[in-house]
């Protein structure tokens, strides 16, 4: 910590500028201001020297931000009109707008007094500009640290996409081999034992032709050559050719885009065609190269169909492909109207780190929270709390965490229900510690266990419990700290309710839990002071801008009431 010069040394300086030069540049700005105010009061023999700043909500009113001596504050707030009439006031600001006012107690006016007042005011403005530059420098350092972390995280997320693709291919190959090749092998074995081969050969040839057709479809799904050779529109036309209803494709996208971008949009569009066109309904597909309000360019596909499917069911069916798109910085929206369902998917046309969630629309809360979690990881680096911050970031890529409470331990019903949740690949069953309340009072999920031990991963996104009115027959799905997502559902419909009420809101539920944990983690174990940057401001803006959570929690509270 720099040591301030003695007050006598500052008072003996020839001018305020010489006094400012005596101060160590590392001296905190508030301490330097106070030293200059003290010098001004000493050399002018004034009872007090006072510094004023304009209020942000009312520029015509100014409030006192510093005074020397500290206990000699004649007033805390004044209007600009009163201060303009004050005999020793110096106003800084363009035209008639007041930014800063420096006043002295009334006294005998002299040329030296007026010069010292003007020089001290100029030095204070220099300190003010230095403070602004230091604040901006901290913000830029924090932003650069965040970008460095995002670059490292991009490789991890892309590796996750490759692993997801590997699993998808393996599942399709296994399903195809078991479902089609095994019956064909059985037919060949029977054929070897049949004396009359003519009729059997015709049936076998028909099965073989169908098998080859399906195998070609499987190969197109795994590695769509049309997509890479002719583009997204031709690939979607090939998929739509097998649809029994009418399909209309309009618009176009650039031909040269990253293969991962085109493939992710292709797979989601194919899944949307399958989900919306199951009943042979007419489909309309619109391709666009769209520029978002955040000035981020990307590819967008809109699939609209007239069908009786619900938004929740379609959203749940597209959850896996939507997750792949979100990993690349995109988003998926599902909206419904009277007899119609529309799916809109957007993905950036270039694979770049998501800088402060600039590649997503403001409505994508999950991406904004994830960007802040990534920024928090970069700010911690190797300091205390870094492991918990990294665990929080990894937690956002996991399935929805579900806790089952209120059931008799060891009963058949408990085992059956927990097994149903545990066997879902899109859900994770988590315990609730017995000494921790399941429903907090502040509207956000509470931390289960001791935060200093890093038990962040035990926070449930939703809670399933028996309904108070009929616990043997019905259950409730609770949003911790807010209310009910679903009340009085039949236990036999547990799997379906989990799909429509939980999996369909997966991103929003994970974002809610992560936001609550992130805010508490930043308070309990804050990052090092030199890496804070604009973290507090960013977190506050994120919390106030979470309008999706306000709507979700309001709905849950109404259902509880």
């Amino acid at each position: 910590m720099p040591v301030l010069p003695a007050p006598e040394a500052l008072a003996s300086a020839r001018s305020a500028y010489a006094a400012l030069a005596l101060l160590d540049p590392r001296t905190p700005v508030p301490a330097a201001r106070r030293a200059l105010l003290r010098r001004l009061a000493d050399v002018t023999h004034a009872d007090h020297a006072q510094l004023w700043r304009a209020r942000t909500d009312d520029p015509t009113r100014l409030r006192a931000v510093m005074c020397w001596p500290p206990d000699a504050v004649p007033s805390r707030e004044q209007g600009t009109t009163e201060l303009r009439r004050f005999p020793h006031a110096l106003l800084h600001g363009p035209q008639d707008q007041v930014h800063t006012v420096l006043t002295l107690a009334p006294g005998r006016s002299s040329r030296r007094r007026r010069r010292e007042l003007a020089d001290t005011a100029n030095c204070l403005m220099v300190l003010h500009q230095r403070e602004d530059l230091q604040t901006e420098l901290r913000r830029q350092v924090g932003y650069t640290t965040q970008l460095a972390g995002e670059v490292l995280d991009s490789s991890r997320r892309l590796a996750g996409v490759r692993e997801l693709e590997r699993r998808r291919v393996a599942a399709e190959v296994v399903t195809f081999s078991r479902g089609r090749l095994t019956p064909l092998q059985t037919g060949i074995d029977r054929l070897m034992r049949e004396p009359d081969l003519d009729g059997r050969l015709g049936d076998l040839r028909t099965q073989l032709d169908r098998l080859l057709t399906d195998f070609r479809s499987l190969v197109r799904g795994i590695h769509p050559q049309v997509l890479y050779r002719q583009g997204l529109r031709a690939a979607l036309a090939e998929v739509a050719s097998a649809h029994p209803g009418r399909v209309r494709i309009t618009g176009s996208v650039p031909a040269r885009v990253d293969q991962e971008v085109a493939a992710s949009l292709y797979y989601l569009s194919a899944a949307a065609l399958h989900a919306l066109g199951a009943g042979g309904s007419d489909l309309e597909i619109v391709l666009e190269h769209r520029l978002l309000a955040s000035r981020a360019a990307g590819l967008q596909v809109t699939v609209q169909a007239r069908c009786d499917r619900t938004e929740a069911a379609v959203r749940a069916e597209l959850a896996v492909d939507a997750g792949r798109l979100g990993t690349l910085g995109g988003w998926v929206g599902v909206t419904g109207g009277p007899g119609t369902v529309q799916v809109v998917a957007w993905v950036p046309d270039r694979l770049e780190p998501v800088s402060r969630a600039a590649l997503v629309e403001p409505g994508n809360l999950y991406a904004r929270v994830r960007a802040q979690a990534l920024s928090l990881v970069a700010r911690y680096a190797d300091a205390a709390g870094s492991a918990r911050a990294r665990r929080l970031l990894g937690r956002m890529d996991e399935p929805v965490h579900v806790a089952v409470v209120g059931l008799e331990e060891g009963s058949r019903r408990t085992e059956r229900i927990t097994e149903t949740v545990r066997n879902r690949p899109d859900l994770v069953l988590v315990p609730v510690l017995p000494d921790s309340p399941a429903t907090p009072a502040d509207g956000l999920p509470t931390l289960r266990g001791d935060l200093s031990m890093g038990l962040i991963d035990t926070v449930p996104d939703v809670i399933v419990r028996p309904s108070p009115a009929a616990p043997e027959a019905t259950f409730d799905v609770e949003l911790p700290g807010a209310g009910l997502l679903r009340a009085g559902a039949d236990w036999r419909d547990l799997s379906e309710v989990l799909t429509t009420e939980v999996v369909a809101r997966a991103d929003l539920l994970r974002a809610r839990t992560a936001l609550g944990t992130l805010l508490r983690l930043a308070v309990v174990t804050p990052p090092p002071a030199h890496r804070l940057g604009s973290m507090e401001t960013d977190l506050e803006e994120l919390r106030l801008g979470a309008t999706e959570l306000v709507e979700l929690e309001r709905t849950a509270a109404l259902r509880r009431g």
Side-chain angles (χ1 to χ4, degrees):
M1 183 72 179
V3 179
L4 287 173
E8 296 78 9
L10 293 178
S12 61
R14 297 184 59 182
S15 65
Y17 304 110
L20 180 63
L22 291 176
L23 297 176
D24 193 319
R26 297 172 298 171
T27 303
V29 173
R33 285 199 191 105
R34 190 175 294 106
L36 289 178
L37 285 180
R38 180 173 182 173
R39 179 191 177 278
L40 178 63
D42 290 343
V43 299
T44 58
H45 306 288
D47 292 339
H48 66 269
Q50 200 165 1
L51 182 65
W52 306 77
R53 288 278 181 82
R55 288 173 45 177
T56 56
D57 55 342
D58 185 5
T60 63
R61 304 290 297 176
L62 294 97
R63 58 183 180 86
V65 295
M66 189 171 291
C67 182
W68 184 266
D71 54 350
V73 182
S75 61
R76 290 290 183 183
E77 188 170 320
Q78 290 281 357
T80 56
T81 305
E82 292 84 352
L83 288 177
R84 285 179 187 275
R85 291 197 298 264
F86 202 79
H88 296 87
L90 192 65
L91 284 70
H92 285 263
Q95 299 177 358
D96 294 333
Q97 185 178 3
V98 177
H99 285 171
T100 307
V101 178
L102 179 63
T103 62
L104 280 174
R108 184 177 178 180
S109 179
S110 65
R111 180 180 300 176
R112 182 170 184 263
R113 187 182 178 98
R114 291 191 296 270
R115 188 186 72 245
E116 288 290 348
L117 182 66
D119 292 348
T120 304
N122 291 333
C123 292
L124 291 175
M125 289 303 297
V126 170
L127 292 177
H128 177 66
Q129 294 174 1
R130 178 194 295 178
E131 187 177 39
D132 288 344
L133 291 175
Q134 289 174 347
T135 301
E136 180 62 23
L137 178 61
R138 287 194 297 269
R139 180 182 292 271
Q140 291 297 331
V141 169
Y143 183 47
T144 303
T145 305
Q146 174 188 342
L147 289 180
E150 288 176 355
V151 170
L152 296 176
D153 186 61
S154 295
S155 60
R156 185 181 67 86
R157 291 188 289 119
L158 291 177
V161 172
R162 289 193 295 268
E163 178 63 18
L164 187 63
E165 288 299 305
R166 187 191 65 79
R167 293 179 181 179
R168 182 185 66 84
V169 171
E172 291 185 2
V173 171
V174 170
T175 302
F176 182 84
S177 61
R178 290 181 179 177
R180 304 303 301 274
L181 295 181
T182 301
L184 182 62
Q185 181 64 42
T186 303
I188 293 176
D189 294 340
R190 291 178 181 176
L191 186 62
M192 298 298 294
R193 298 191 297 267
E194 289 288 338
D196 184 13
L197 302 181
D198 294 339
R200 296 291 184 181
L201 283 175
D203 296 338
L204 190 61
R205 179 57 181 269
T206 302
Q207 293 183 29
L208 186 59
D209 291 340
R210 294 175 180 173
L211 176 63
L212 291 175
T213 302
D214 294 341
F215 188 75
R216 291 191 182 99
S217 300
L218 175 65
V219 172
R220 285 198 301 268
I222 295 175
H223 186 77
Q225 295 184 1
V226 177
L227 173 66
Y228 303 128
R229 292 179 179 177
Q230 302 180 30
L232 182 60
R233 177 166 180 167
L236 292 180
E238 183 183 43
V239 174
S241 62
H243 181 65
R246 185 175 63 88
V247 179
R248 180 187 177 189
I249 303 178
T250 58
S252 62
V253 296
R256 293 186 177 182
V257 294
D258 293 334
Q259 289 189 359
E260 292 83 357
V261 172
S264 61
L265 204 57
Y266 166 79
Y267 289 130
L268 186 131
S269 302
L273 290 176
H274 177 75
L276 299 180
S281 57
D282 294 342
L283 301 173
E284 183 172 354
I285 305 173
V286 180
L287 304 178
E288 301 176 77
H289 187 219
R290 182 184 172 195
L291 186 67
L292 299 182
S294 58
R295 311 302 297 173
L299 311 183
Q300 178 170 306
V301 173
T302 303
V303 182
Q304 183 170 337
R306 293 191 172 274
C307 60
D308 54 358
R309 300 290 302 276
T310 63
E311 292 182 38
V314 175
R315 193 178 291 110
E317 194 166 342
L318 301 178
V320 175
D321 295 284
R324 180 191 295 110
L325 221 64
T327 303
L328 299 177
W331 51 267
V332 178
V334 180
T335 57
T340 62
V341 177
Q342 184 183 72
V343 176
V344 180
W346 183 92
V347 66
D349 54 10
R350 292 187 300 171
L351 293 181
E352 296 178 346
V354 183
S355 173
R356 293 179 182 252
L359 296 180
V360 295
E361 288 185 328
N364 194 326
L365 178 65
Y366 174 85
R368 300 203 307 272
V369 173
R370 194 178 190 283
Q372 285 300 330
L374 182 60
S375 173
L376 198 66
V377 170
R379 295 182 194 281
Y380 275 106
D382 297 329
S386 61
R388 295 185 288 278
R390 295 178 188 277
R391 180 68 188 95
L392 172 61
L393 180 61
R395 166 71 176 80
M396 297 197 67
D397 295 330
E398 297 177 2
V400 179
H401 285 208
V402 179
V404 180
V405 300
L407 296 176
E408 183 181 354
E409 188 175 356
S411 64
R412 292 188 60 185
R413 175 186 292 274
T414 302
E415 293 177 357
R416 185 169 63 253
I417 292 172
T418 54
E419 191 68 20
T420 300
V421 177
R422 186 179 291 113
N423 289 338
R424 293 283 299 262
D426 46 9
L427 301 174
V428 173
L429 183 65
V430 298
V432 176
L433 299 183
D435 58 345
S436 178
T439 305
D442 58 357
L444 286 173
T446 58
L447 297 174
R448 306 302 196 265
D450 184 7
L451 180 61
S452 63
M453 297 173 60
L455 296 180
I456 299 178
D457 56 334
T458 57
V459 182
D461 299 316
V462 294
I463 299 173
V464 175
R465 64 171 74 246
S467 301
E472 295 296 326
T474 60
F475 68 94
D476 298 339
V477 179
E478 181 180 343
L479 185 65
L484 301 177
L485 293 177
R486 181 71 175 270
D490 196 303
W491 282 111
R492 293 171 295 184
D493 300 331
L494 176 62
S495 182
E496 180 181 353
V497 171
L498 289 175
T499 299
T500 57
E501 301 294 342
V502 177
V503 177
R505 296 187 177 100
D507 283 351
L508 188 58
L509 295 174
R510 289 181 294 179
R512 180 178 185 267
T513 304
L515 178 58
T517 307
L518 190 150
L519 293 174
R520 288 183 175 87
L521 179 61
V523 172
V524 176
T525 311
H530 65 281
R531 290 180 177 169
L532 280 176
S534 60
M535 185 192 71
E536 296 180 355
T537 303
D538 294 341
L539 290 180
E540 184 65 13
E541 292 177 354
L542 180 61
R543 185 184 66 83
L544 296 178
T547 55
E548 304 93 322
L549 294 185
V550 175
E551 183 64 28
L552 177 66
E553 293 174 355
R554 183 185 296 115
T555 302
L558 291 175
R559 290 178 179 175
R560 167 175 283 178

